[in-house]
Amino acid sequence: MSTPGAYKAGANPQPRGKVGKVGKAAPAPPVRGKAATDTKHTPKDAKEMFLKRVQLCSITYDYSDDNKDVKAKAERNAALQDLREFLNDSKNVAQYVIPHLDLVIDMIKKNIFRPLPMDKKGGDKLGPGEAGAEGGDEDIVIDPAWPHLQGVYEFFFELIICEATDVKSLKVFITPSFIQDFLQLFDSEEPRERDYLKNILHRLYAKLVPRRKMIRKAINDSFLTMIHETQRFNGASELLDILASIISGFAVPLREEHVVFFKVIMIPLHKVQTSHIFHEQLLRCSMLFLSKDHALAIPLVEGLLRYWPFGNSVKETLYLTELQEVLEVCELAKLEPLIPKLFKRLVRCISGPQLQVADRAMCFFENDYFLGILRTFKQVTFPMVVPVIVELAETHWHKILQESLNALKVILKEIDPVAFDRALQTGSRDLARSNSLSTMHNLPARATVEAKWDALAARAKAIDPKFKSPLVPYIDSHVVGLNNMNGIALSSQNLIPPA
């Protein structure tokens, strides 16, 4: 894991967030010169200089205005750099830092524990945008205080990894309230801050063995809040990265609390509306659990089928990718009760109008292990799959996918010709027909529906002569109807809806 100091971003975007004004402490004396490592200073002078620097760094300013307190901010940053130099010498850490660790931790808390800048467009992130699953960089809200906070995070990180910082002294200050406040910072919109937070929390977990259970519980609470309340948390990816390292260290067989964590938190995380943002890290954690205990694959398949997204092609594609990986870990005997639900879902994906989803579902049949499942339970799977595949091979609107469906039809027939013919005779093609575009655009049925709306509009106009029918896009006189039904090419003349 790279240290936070190695993080280098490109051009810093202009600050858009606002941080509330904070109170100022009494001005500290200006700091100049080198740190306490200078041999000219006596131990007493070095101690006083150290304490003055801690006091100076404990002062917070209004960072939303770059023109205010410019000199004081520069002196504070210089003092913070001097504090970092104290950590380069283990003797200094033992002599100055550890005896005053309470003041040091208090200084860190005063700087980093603060109201985070508000993202007024946060509600837009509950689902994938039109441009794709990931939001654009322009939506990131940057904390104007970040350039002044980065040095504090670097100091905190170096303090933790310093060998002279003993566990006994440090664990006193890492309390449940500290961890809770620290985890709330993961909701920051600033990605560099979340990177520092991730590295610091990971180091704390590795160093403070007595606090590991407490840290895991706090992470669990953060995820439970996201699952059942907020539906979004900016630091979910970073916390899952930490959990991946933690899960890798779990002993086999898994303890009961770890199994409960997987079932209560890891599986329900899939249903979160913003899960597409951290799905890669979630998949990694899920597969690490399955590598520890293959029996957990069945609850995960059940969870995926239960929380399957509706009307969200991006998440459906991610679910299909994960489902295929999980199926390869499942035991066939334990998978049998889920076969009807599993294949019903796959058939719906293949017969649906969304091309990417249908294409991804077709990839299942390229997997030998999945074909083994299909063959093993052919008495159940063939009547569900064969009629739909045959129907789509004849009527699907996409030429390339239609060729794949024809190839799959041949494969199914080669697996068991007798079962294929029986399924074709007894099975139903209704699902494929109901999901086909030709059925969705059935003009006679559409005309019947439009006639009912016209009659309703006529009744409304009889009651109120001023009533005007609402403008809808899917009518013959609109651009969609003109282009799709009447064969008229798009032009500037028919792009304007009817008046």
Side-chain angles (χ1 to χ4, degrees):
M1 182 181 293
S2 62
T3 62
Y7 188 98
K8 292 184 179 179
N12 291 331
Q14 293 297 322
R16 288 170 45 194
K18 290 186 178 180
V19 179
K21 210 168 183 179
V22 293
K24 300 180 183 180
V31 178
R32 294 288 184 269
K34 299 181 181 179
T37 52
D38 197 328
T39 56
K40 295 181 181 180
H41 295 297
T42 64
K44 183 177 179 180
D45 292 338
K47 177 181 176 181
E48 290 181 359
M49 290 181 64
F50 172 77
L51 294 176
K52 286 179 181 178
R53 282 160 173 75
V54 172
Q55 179 188 5
L56 183 59
C57 294
S58 299
I59 304 172
T60 54
Y61 299 93
D62 180 7
Y63 298 110
S64 60
D65 188 350
D66 293 337
N67 297 322
K68 292 177 62 177
D69 305 313
V70 177
K71 182 179 179 181
K73 292 175 183 176
E75 291 175 350
R76 175 189 173 279
N77 290 338
L80 192 56
Q81 180 61 34
D82 287 345
L83 286 179
R84 292 182 60 191
E85 292 181 11
F86 270 91
L87 301 178
N88 294 333
D89 190 339
S90 299
K91 184 179 178 181
N92 285 336
V93 175
Q95 190 172 357
Y96 305 116
V97 180
I98 299 301
H100 302 94
L101 197 57
D102 56 337
L103 299 177
V104 172
I105 297 297
D106 188 59
M107 179 271 292
I108 294 172
K109 291 165 65 174
K110 286 180 178 178
N111 280 276
I112 66 175
F113 293 164
R114 71 205 189 280
L116 296 175
M118 296 296 293
D119 182 7
K120 296 181 180 179
K121 298 182 179 180
D124 298 339
K125 298 183 180 180
L126 291 181
E130 294 181 0
E134 299 293 338
D137 293 339
E138 66 276 5
D139 292 333
I140 297 177
V141 176
I142 303 301
D143 189 346
W146 171 246
H148 306 275
L149 293 174
Q150 184 173 357
V152 179
Y153 279 111
E154 290 174 352
F155 173 77
F156 192 18
F157 181 83
E158 292 171 9
L159 175 64
I160 295 170
I161 65 175
C162 181
E163 295 181 358
T165 306
D166 60 294
V167 174
K168 184 178 179 180
S169 300
L170 187 59
K171 74 175 184 179
V172 175
F173 304 97
I174 308 303
T175 60
S177 60
F178 179 89
I179 293 297
Q180 183 178 3
D181 292 339
F182 192 80
L183 287 177
Q184 289 177 0
L185 295 174
F186 275 86
D187 202 25
S188 170
E189 296 282 345
E190 172 58 70
R192 292 169 293 183
E193 181 172 13
R194 298 200 302 269
D195 190 60
Y196 276 94
L197 290 165
K198 178 180 73 172
N199 283 278
I200 289 172
L201 185 60
H202 189 267
R203 294 289 184 170
L204 281 174
Y205 187 88
K207 188 162 190 168
L208 302 181
V209 177
R211 295 289 182 264
R212 288 184 177 180
K213 187 173 183 179
M214 180 190 73
I215 294 175
R216 289 201 304 270
K217 184 180 183 303
I219 294 176
N220 293 359
D221 293 341
S222 297
F223 281 129
L224 287 172
T225 301
M226 179 172 64
I227 292 170
H228 300 292
E229 296 180 18
T230 61
Q231 290 294 311
R232 68 184 292 265
F233 185 67
N234 291 321
S237 299
E238 286 78 10
L239 287 182
L240 287 170
D241 279 335
I242 297 173
L243 279 178
S245 301
I246 295 174
I247 296 167
S248 300
F250 285 168
V252 178
L254 292 175
R255 289 156 54 181
E256 181 63 23
E257 66 170 295
H258 299 152
V259 175
V260 171
F261 168 77
F262 178 77
K263 294 181 179 179
V264 174
I265 293 179
M266 297 302 297
I267 295 178
L269 271 176
H270 290 80
K271 73 176 181 178
V272 175
Q273 293 181 5
T274 53
S275 63
H276 59 282
I277 298 175
F278 54 84
H279 188 270
E280 179 183 350
Q281 292 81 7
L282 180 59
L283 174 59
R284 182 187 174 199
C285 289
S286 299
M287 297 310 295
L288 283 171
F289 263 109
L290 300 190
S291 68
K292 302 284 183 178
D293 186 356
H294 289 183
L296 296 176
I298 300 301
L300 182 54
V301 172
E302 290 178 338
L304 289 172
L305 295 175
R306 183 186 309 118
Y307 302 132
W308 200 270
F310 174 78
N312 190 330
S313 60
V314 174
K315 289 182 70 172
E316 275 196 278
T317 305
L318 294 174
Y319 268 53
L320 287 167
T321 302
E322 181 171 0
L323 182 60
Q324 184 173 354
E325 291 192 32
V326 175
L327 285 175
E328 296 184 5
V329 187
C330 295
E331 298 180 20
L332 289 180
K334 295 182 179 180
L335 188 61
E336 185 174 2
L338 298 177
I339 290 299
K341 289 183 179 180
L342 172 64
F343 278 83
K344 183 178 180 180
R345 174 54 61 189
L346 290 176
V347 167
R348 284 185 175 179
C349 290
I350 294 174
S351 60
Q354 224 292 330
L355 180 61
Q356 286 81 7
V357 173
D359 184 62
R360 187 63 190 83
M362 286 290 293
C363 294
F364 277 69
F365 296 91
E366 300 174 3
N367 184 281
D368 293 335
Y369 187 79
F370 180 80
L371 289 177
I373 297 175
L374 179 72
R375 189 181 296 108
T376 302
F377 302 105
K378 60 186 177 183
Q379 300 299 327
V380 178
T381 59
F382 267 49
M384 300 176 68
V385 175
V386 170
V388 175
I389 297 301
V390 172
E391 174 71 19
L392 292 174
E394 299 172 358
T395 62
H396 201 279
W397 60 275
H398 195 271
K399 184 178 180 181
I400 297 178
L401 197 58
Q402 190 176 23
E403 293 175 356
S404 300
L405 288 163
N406 277 298
L408 177 57
K409 183 173 71 172
V410 174
I411 293 174
L412 293 174
K413 194 166 187 177
E414 290 176 352
I415 290 177
D416 191 333
V418 176
F420 181 90
D421 294 335
R422 187 186 305 115
L424 197 57
Q425 294 173 2
T426 60
S428 172
R429 302 189 184 188
D430 291 343
L431 182 59
R433 290 170 180 168
S434 63
N435 282 346
S436 66
L437 287 176
S438 58
T439 301
M440 287 190 226
H441 293 188
N442 186 294
L443 297 184
R446 184 68 189 173
T448 303
V449 174
E450 292 295 341
K452 291 181 180 180
W453 280 110
D454 291 340
L456 186 61
R459 289 180 59 187
K461 195 167 186 178
I463 298 173
D464 183 5
K466 296 181 179 180
F467 173 79
K468 292 184 179 181
S469 298
L471 181 64
V472 292
Y474 298 102
I475 54 179
D476 291 351
S477 56
H478 193 272
V479 56
V480 175
L482 290 171
N483 184 48
N484 289 348
M485 300 197 307
N486 299 338
I488 300 176
L490 287 174
S491 68
S492 59
Q493 301 299 320
N494 55 31
L495 281 175
I496 303 174

